[in-house]
Amino acid sequence: MHGWKNSILVFVGVSLLINGIGIAVFAQSPDSPTQVNTTIEGLVQGASGEPVADASVFLSDQKHSNHVETKTAKDGTYVFRLTSSGTYSVKVEKPGYDSAVIGSLVVVAGQRKRIHLILKLASSAARNSGIQLQLEDKPSFTVAGVSDWTATGGHGSDVRARTSEDLARDTAALNSGPSSRTTSEPSRSGESETSLREALARTPDDFGSNRRMAESYLRNRKYREAIPLLSSAYRLNPEDFANARDLAVAYKESGDSLRAREQVRKMQPGARSADAHRSLGDLAERIDDPLTAIAEYEQAARIDASEQNYFAWGTELLLHRAIAPAVEVFTKGSRAHPGSARMLTGLGAALHASGSYEEAARRLCEASDLEPSYSAPYMFLGKMAEASTGQIACVEQKLARFAHDRPANAFANYYYALVLSRRAVIQRPSAAGKQIEPLLHNALKIDSSFAAAHVQLGILYSNRGDTTNAIQEYQKAIAANPKLEEAHYRLGRTYKQTGDTSKALEEFKIYEQLTKTDAAEMEQRRRQLREFVVVLKNGHLTVPPK
């Protein structure tokens, strides 16, 4: 990298929030020895999603005592470029908002980051707004903004990190309820498209005519055609929630995410019920506006601290890697709703993401005891067992019950066989070995394409020295799932044991290529994820890992 030339002073920036407000810029002294390229950009919003302009930001370089002031643009955006890293303190001021000071801010250069922020009204302004919150147990954190994923982060091995991501998505899948759908289900009218067009031609300024024609297009996924009709209906009746929601989704599905987000933010002002806030949160998450989504979910929980509202709030935090806050919300939700196995399951997923693997297992075991017929805790325990190299307390007992109670469930048989296999490796009891093979055969009888079960059966045969059957099982696994890396790796090892070097090298080559492809696809998915930037009450800032 080139050194500084003459006395050029380069201004750069970072976006953070403390005590509910934040955006900052900083300057670097000309005696810095290196230059790097960094762009930090984002959007500053109010609590209702509106852009905040003219926010004054003061930053001091702690090493050189330099400071600089800047203001946000009319649309709330900012962009800064950096040529060096450093440590800074930041003060942010805006009339009507709480000011904040951030000390010892370490900035690492060399990245392009996008960080969006929420600024909160000053305490007096908030009191005058008429907002009334019923949630007594206030959270110890504030979601300050969002940032792009910058690394895998998490705790433990990449296998466990991937498992945590899977569990987060599985938790989101449990978030079902009356408001879980983010689009309305258009009525399946018996009217033909021709009759709908004729009705619209007769009454072009009628809400119902525009709405019914739009519904016809939505049923056939013709989102672009539906947009003008939904827009007309929205203009005629902006209070119709289903129509406003469908308009946002139509924008999103037609590729116009910006208008989709603008539409959602138009729907925010005014007093709403908890259900309406939760529905709006569902919609915002679907159109990739998690900052609006988390604000809506939190507001829903504050108005009505129901199990469903707590669960939606915790799930949104977990999905966007605000792990500690997710643990807090699921913990409080479990205390408020001790009869909810779903809440304990979410807590287990959050604890696993935090690296508290044994505690996560205990919560999931409690969930399975609370509602033994509920499959989710067992499935989560099984995935955790797959990612673990050892045994986790209580897991074997609960998965044994799962297999006993659900003999026709392929996963119930597979996961119990898996934990028995792990115990057999450690303790080598003959009784466990006799149980494993029937369980795997039963899983494959239920689902012959269960590739992972074929792999485990192949491992069992290989450990017995039965390479012929082991090879057959690995081949069946690959036939069921050609992209299953472990099957290719184990098949390659078995070929090598039998002296078939050429086939072994071929499988190892496929394994290496699949590993690279999978890593690239995973990184791409992760880069599409937007993580929450969180401020704790003690002033500690939690940001995505470098």
Side-chain angles (χ1 to χ4, degrees):
M1 307 296 291
H2 298 291
W4 289 83
K5 295 182 180 180
N6 302 322
S7 59
I8 297 175
L9 186 65
V10 179
F11 300 105
V12 296
V14 67
S15 307
L16 302 168
L17 179 146
I18 217 157
N19 295 329
I21 182 170
I23 182 172
V25 297
F26 52 83
Q28 180 62 35
S29 170
D31 62 0
S32 299
T34 59
Q35 289 186 345
V36 290
N37 247 338
T38 297
T39 298
I40 300 174
E41 59 190 14
L43 170 68
V44 183
Q45 300 171 266
S48 297
E50 75 282 2
V52 176
D54 292 326
S56 298
V57 185
F58 307 89
L59 184 140
S60 298
D61 181 342
Q62 293 185 356
K63 181 177 180 182
H64 302 95
S65 300
N66 296 329
H67 63 273
V68 68
E69 175 185 357
T70 193
K71 290 181 179 291
T72 54
K74 289 183 179 180
D75 60 358
T77 59
Y78 64 92
V79 178
F80 299 102
R81 290 177 176 79
L82 170 65
T83 60
S84 181
S85 57
T87 303
Y88 309 88
S89 62
V90 180
K91 184 177 182 180
V92 186
E93 294 181 348
K94 168 74 177 179
Y97 295 89
D98 287 328
S99 62
V101 177
I102 304 172
S104 300
L105 174 62
V106 178
V107 178
V108 178
Q111 296 177 331
R112 181 176 184 267
K113 294 184 68 66
R114 291 182 292 272
I115 302 178
H116 294 185
L117 308 173
I118 291 178
L119 305 188
K120 292 193 174 181
L121 291 172
S123 301
S124 59
R127 285 195 298 270
N128 294 332
S129 68
I131 298 175
Q132 301 202 354
L133 305 181
Q134 298 178 10
L135 186 65
E136 295 297 331
D137 196 4
K138 300 296 191 300
S140 66
F141 62 89
T142 299
V143 174
V146 290
S147 173
D148 291 344
W149 179 294
T150 56
T152 58
H155 294 260
S157 68
D158 187 53
V159 173
R160 274 180 158 161
R162 289 178 182 226
T163 299
S164 292
E165 294 166 37
D166 286 343
L167 293 178
R169 289 189 291 269
D170 291 344
T171 303
L174 303 177
N175 193 16
S176 60
S179 72
S180 63
R181 295 174 301 176
T182 54
T183 56
S184 65
E185 298 261 345
S187 59
R188 297 199 171 270
S189 170
E191 295 178 275
S192 67
E193 184 171 331
T194 301
S195 63
L196 289 172
R197 287 184 183 279
E198 291 174 352
L200 181 62
R202 288 194 301 270
T203 55
D205 292 328
D206 176 64
F207 171 84
S209 297
N210 282 274
R211 176 69 182 160
R212 286 191 293 275
M213 188 73 242
E215 287 178 343
S216 174
Y217 285 131
L218 291 174
R219 283 196 296 271
N220 296 295
R221 301 182 183 275
K222 295 181 178 180
Y223 297 106
R224 291 185 185 277
E225 291 87 341
I227 287 173
L229 297 160
L230 293 169
S231 298
S232 294
Y234 179 76
R235 176 177 52 79
L236 292 164
N237 184 6
E239 297 303 315
D240 189 284
F241 190 84
N243 185 77
R245 177 177 58 189
D246 285 348
L247 178 55
V249 173
Y251 279 134
K252 168 64 178 175
E253 294 299 331
S254 63
D256 196 340
S257 295
L258 180 60
R259 285 193 177 181
R261 288 192 288 271
E262 289 176 349
Q263 174 62 24
V264 169
R265 289 164 188 162
K266 288 179 183 177
M267 298 164 65
Q268 288 184 354
R272 293 187 179 276
S273 67
D275 285 349
H277 280 290
R278 190 176 62 251
S279 293
L280 202 51
D282 293 341
L283 175 58
E285 172 59 28
R286 171 162 180 182
I287 66 169
D288 300 327
D289 189 3
L291 205 53
T292 297
I294 196 63
E296 293 299 325
Y297 287 137
E298 180 176 354
Q299 184 68 5
R302 287 176 179 273
I303 295 172
D304 177 12
S306 67
E307 190 269 356
Q308 188 174 359
N309 290 337
Y310 256 120
F311 192 84
W313 186 14
T315 298
E316 186 71 4
L317 290 164
L318 182 60
L319 275 175
H320 294 279
R321 293 177 51 75
I323 306 303
V327 171
E328 178 181 330
V329 169
F330 280 124
T331 298
K332 290 178 178 179
S334 295
R335 291 171 184 165
H337 303 279
S340 173
R342 180 173 73 156
M343 195 73 71
L344 277 174
T345 301
L347 177 57
L351 287 166
H352 187 275
S354 75
S356 302
Y357 304 121
E358 291 190 6
E359 187 179 355
R362 287 196 294 270
R363 298 290 85 77
L364 290 167
C365 289
E366 290 173 12
S368 71
D369 288 339
L370 192 62
E371 194 174 338
S373 62
Y374 187 42
S375 296
Y378 302 110
M379 297 294 290
F380 281 38
L381 285 170
K383 289 191 175 184
M384 288 171 52
E386 277 188 307
S388 174
T389 55
Q391 292 177 287
I392 305 176
C394 84
V395 174
E396 182 178 330
Q397 177 189 5
K398 306 310 176 187
L399 291 179
R401 179 172 65 196
F402 190 32
H404 178 271
D405 294 348
R406 305 288 184 87
N409 186 307
F411 279 103
N413 287 272
Y414 168 74
Y415 283 137
Y416 185 37
L418 184 70
V419 294
L420 288 176
S421 298
R422 297 287 165 80
R423 178 157 65 84
V425 170
I426 298 171
Q427 302 175 3
R428 300 187 180 280
S430 57
K434 292 177 181 178
Q435 286 181 275
I436 296 169
E437 188 172 356
L439 286 165
L440 292 172
H441 279 301
N442 200 31
L444 289 167
K445 183 179 179 181
I446 298 165
D447 181 2
S448 61
S449 64
F450 200 154
H454 281 298
V455 170
Q456 288 301 317
L457 200 52
I459 293 171
L460 185 66
Y461 290 142
S462 181
N463 290 339
R464 293 176 182 172
D466 186 352
T467 56
T468 300
N469 279 318
I471 288 172
Q472 289 179 356
E473 290 303 324
Y474 296 141
Q475 289 173 336
K476 290 178 182 178
I478 292 169
N481 182 2
K483 294 184 178 181
L484 188 59
E485 298 164 32
E486 186 180 8
H488 288 282
Y489 176 74
R490 296 222 176 241
L491 181 56
R493 283 186 57 182
T494 308
Y495 277 140
K496 187 175 180 180
Q497 290 172 1
T498 62
D500 199 335
T501 306
S502 61
K503 287 186 177 180
L505 290 174
E506 182 180 350
E507 292 301 323
F508 288 143
K509 184 177 180 180
I510 295 172
Y511 166 75
E512 290 177 2
Q513 183 58 49
L514 287 173
T515 301
K516 291 179 182 178
T517 302
D518 180 65
E521 291 175 352
M522 180 64 71
E523 182 63 21
Q524 179 62 27
R525 287 194 295 272
R526 286 170 171 171
R527 288 189 180 279
Q528 292 172 352
L529 176 68
R530 304 177 76 191
E531 300 180 297
F532 288 138
V533 179
V534 174
V535 178
L536 305 183
K537 277 187 177 177
N538 61 8
H540 174 68
L541 178 72
T542 302
V543 296
K546 299 294 184 290

